[in-house]
Amino acid sequence: MHQTFYIDIDEEITSVIDRLKKAKAEEVVVVVPKRALLIQSIVNLKLLKKEADKLGLQIMIVTQDKLGKMIIERAGILVQQRLDDIGTEDE
C-alpha cells in the first residue's frame, strides 16, 4: 500500500519534507509537474532522498519532465513517467 502526494509547480522542498513526515504508508509516490522547483535542483532531491531514508520510506517520483527525470535518477530516487499501474491513496 502506498500514499500519493501531488506537488505544486512552485512548492518548496521544506513543504514536501513536511508532507513526507506525515505519510501514513511506507511507500510514497510523489507526482511532480513539468518544470517544478523540486526537480530543478539535485540538492533538493538529495535532501528528499535523505529524509525519506531517515523516515524509513520508499519514495518514487512520477513526472513527465525529461530533464527532471535525469536529475531524479542521479539523486538515486526511483522515477516513472506515469501513474498507470499505481493505485492511489490521495492526501
Side-chain angles (χ1 to χ4, degrees):
M1 183 100 140
H2 69 271
Q3 188 169 5
T4 304
F5 294 115
Y6 293 87
I7 304 302
D8 292 327
I9 195 166
D10 59 352
E11 193 161 344
E12 298 286 339
I13 184 65
T14 52
S15 171
V16 179
I17 288 174
D18 285 344
R19 292 169 76 178
L20 263 189
K21 289 178 181 178
K22 296 174 186 171
K24 295 179 176 86
E26 290 183 10
E27 295 178 7
V28 176
V29 177
V30 181
V31 181
V32 182
K34 289 182 181 179
R35 296 180 300 283
L37 285 177
L38 176 66
I39 58 174
Q40 298 300 313
S41 164
I42 187 81
V43 174
N44 282 347
L45 293 165
K46 285 186 175 185
L47 284 171
L48 185 65
K49 171 111 173 85
K50 183 178 179 180
E51 193 63 34
D53 290 346
K54 189 166 77 173
L55 294 167
L57 300 175
Q58 178 89 18
I59 189 169
M60 175 190 295
I61 295 178
V62 176
T63 187
Q64 293 185 353
D65 187 310
K66 290 179 183 177
L67 180 59
K69 284 171 58 177
M70 291 182 353
I71 297 171
I72 293 164
E73 288 172 348
R74 281 197 6 221
I77 298 174
L78 296 172
V79 63
Q80 290 219 291
Q81 187 168 349
R82 302 181 200 282
L83 273 174
D84 285 347
D85 298 325
I86 303 173
T88 58
E89 178 184 318
D90 298 335
E91 179 188 85

